[in-house]
Amino acid sequence: MRDAGRCRGILAALVVLAGLAACGSSNEIIEGPKNVTALKGSEARFNCTISQGWKLIMWALKGTVVLSVTPTEPIITNDRFTAMSYEEGGNFISEMIIHDVQLSDAGQIKCSLQNSDRDGSAFLSVQVMGRLFIPEGSLVVMEDKPCNVTCRALGWTPLPRLSWEIGVPVSHSSYYSVREPEDLQSAVSVLALTPQGNGTVTCVAEMKRLHVHESVTVNLTVVQPPLESSYQSEIRKSANMKTNKDTSGTKLKSGNENYGYSSDEPWTTSQWPETASLPAKSSESSVPEQRVSRQPYQGSDQHQLGPASRPQVSFNVASPKKVRNVTLV
């Protein structure tokens, strides 16, 4: 009886060990792949952790098997899909690498085992980095005058986050970004600023999930604003007034000559000789003879008189009671 009991115990142990061995040898997916977001043209990697004892691993993209892996080597049917293998904690890790990711690759990724209804799946998202540019290029703007700088992002999927980096002194700056109404893959951002000096402005486009960005920088040259027309008009007016004033002063100073003289008594033809004399008085009341001589007045260059028109006039004064004066102007 004792031997029979011992045999039954051994059989039970064997059953348990056989059950454990069966569990350990069954192929199962311990952890499936995770979702991946990749940039167009880059690589995307997916890992699938499998227990030991597997015979065949199959990788499918959007329902189509693109890569198969055996315990000895992978079976590659497309060079864009390759495999790597690792061991970690007694488990096998199969990695599928998608090279040169295309926008058409976006979709479901599935890892499955042969003769198993269990699988692991994930999703591949593809983002496209398009063009980023500032149409105006380098700009020349007025100091302290508001101006706009426009940045365009064309052909992006999804649309990037647009922002600005300002490398010039400004008194005000702000910007807004909108989607282009006729192109769902394009956006525009407008920077409004009031510059006060030279520098640069940079438009930055950032992919939200990939943490990658593209940027474009342009130079901003600030110049002084031209004089306003009203100011120039006042300057001209002031200059004209000064010129007119100087001309008037010159005319007042130069004057005109008075070529005529009217005496107290009318002149006769006999009284207009080269030298005119007055009648002599008595010797008692006479005074020494005085001669008054006047040289002809020389005026400006525009008004000069010759000797024929301007004779020298002399008078002999014989009496102090009455003196005739000749004034030349």
Side-chain angles (χ1 to χ4, degrees):
M1 297 293 296
R2 183 178 296 177
D3 292 337
R6 184 180 295 130
C7 289
R8 287 194 295 270
I10 293 173
L11 291 173
L14 290 173
V15 171
V16 172
L17 291 174
L20 292 174
C23 293
S25 61
S26 64
N27 6 13
E28 64 175 347
I29 297 176
I30 298 175
E31 184 178 6
K34 298 183 182 301
N35 295 338
V36 171
T37 299
L39 189 65
K40 179 185 176 183
S42 66
E43 293 183 349
R45 295 174 177 262
F46 298 89
N47 290 339
C48 190
T49 304
I50 306 167
S51 63
Q52 295 291 346
W54 57 275
K55 299 301 181 182
L56 181 66
I57 302 172
M58 294 174 291
W59 287 94
L61 171 62
K62 296 192 291 187
T64 301
V65 176
V66 294
L67 178 67
S68 298
V69 181
T70 68
T72 56
E73 63 181 357
I75 302 173
I76 298 175
T77 57
N78 188 325
D79 291 339
R80 290 183 56 235
F81 303 90
T82 61
M84 297 289 292
S85 59
Y86 315 93
E87 286 192 7
E88 184 179 277
N91 296 318
F92 181 82
I93 300 176
S94 176
E95 180 179 46
M96 180 181 70
I97 306 169
I98 304 178
H99 303 271
D100 189 21
V101 173
Q102 298 299 308
L103 190 59
S104 59
D105 294 333
Q108 187 185 53
I109 301 293
K110 183 181 291 186
C111 169
S112 62
L113 301 175
Q114 186 182 30
N115 301 325
S116 174
D117 57 355
R118 297 188 61 185
D119 58 41
S121 63
F123 194 86
L124 171 63
S125 298
V126 180
Q127 296 189 354
V128 179
M129 182 178 289
R131 296 175 55 209
L132 184 71
F133 62 98
I134 297 176
E136 297 89 348
S138 297
L139 300 173
V140 177
V141 296
M142 299 294 178
E143 183 180 6
D144 280 330
K145 297 292 184 182
C147 64
N148 293 337
V149 184
T150 302
C151 178
R152 295 187 180 277
L154 304 181
W156 294 68
T157 302
L159 289 178
R161 176 181 177 271
L162 296 176
S163 61
W164 291 86
E165 295 176 357
I166 302 175
V168 296
V170 298
S171 60
H172 167 78
S173 66
S174 63
Y175 72 92
Y176 67 90
S177 303
V178 295
R179 183 192 300 267
E180 291 277 18
E182 300 179 357
D183 187 352
L184 299 181
Q185 294 181 327
S186 301
V188 60
S189 183
V190 179
L191 169 67
L193 73 163
T194 304
Q196 295 181 317
N198 298 333
T200 61
V201 292
T202 301
C203 178
V204 181
E206 182 180 3
M207 304 298 283
K208 299 175 183 178
R209 299 177 62 181
L210 292 176
H211 304 291
V212 296
H213 68 274
E214 179 84 3
S215 64
V216 58
T217 300
V218 296
N219 293 323
L220 211 65
T221 302
V222 177
V223 297
Q224 296 291 331
L227 294 176
E228 297 178 2
S229 59
S230 60
Y231 176 75
Q232 292 178 333
S233 177
E234 290 297 326
I235 291 296
R236 287 195 217 91
K237 183 177 179 181
S238 176
N240 291 338
M241 291 178 64
K242 182 177 180 181
T243 303
N244 294 337
K245 182 177 180 180
D246 292 343
T247 304
S248 300
T250 303
K251 289 182 177 181
L252 289 175
K253 290 178 181 179
S254 61
N256 293 325
E257 294 186 33
N258 184 3
Y259 301 124
Y261 168 73
S262 177
S263 63
D264 292 341
E265 296 178 359
W267 285 84
T268 63
T269 304
S270 60
Q271 291 176 316
W272 190 252
E274 288 294 327
T275 300
S277 299
L278 296 178
K281 297 295 180 179
S282 62
S283 60
E284 291 81 10
S285 59
S286 63
V287 295
E289 184 180 31
Q290 298 181 1
R291 182 177 295 271
V292 179
S293 177
R294 294 292 184 268
Q295 296 296 328
Y297 176 80
Q298 297 296 326
S300 62
D301 294 340
Q302 296 178 349
H303 301 284
Q304 288 188 353
L305 298 177
S309 60
R310 293 295 311 277
Q312 180 175 336
V313 180
S314 300
F315 296 96
N316 291 327
V317 180
S319 175
K321 293 183 179 180
K322 187 174 182 179
V323 179
R324 294 185 181 273
N325 295 323
V326 176
T327 302
L328 297 180
V329 179

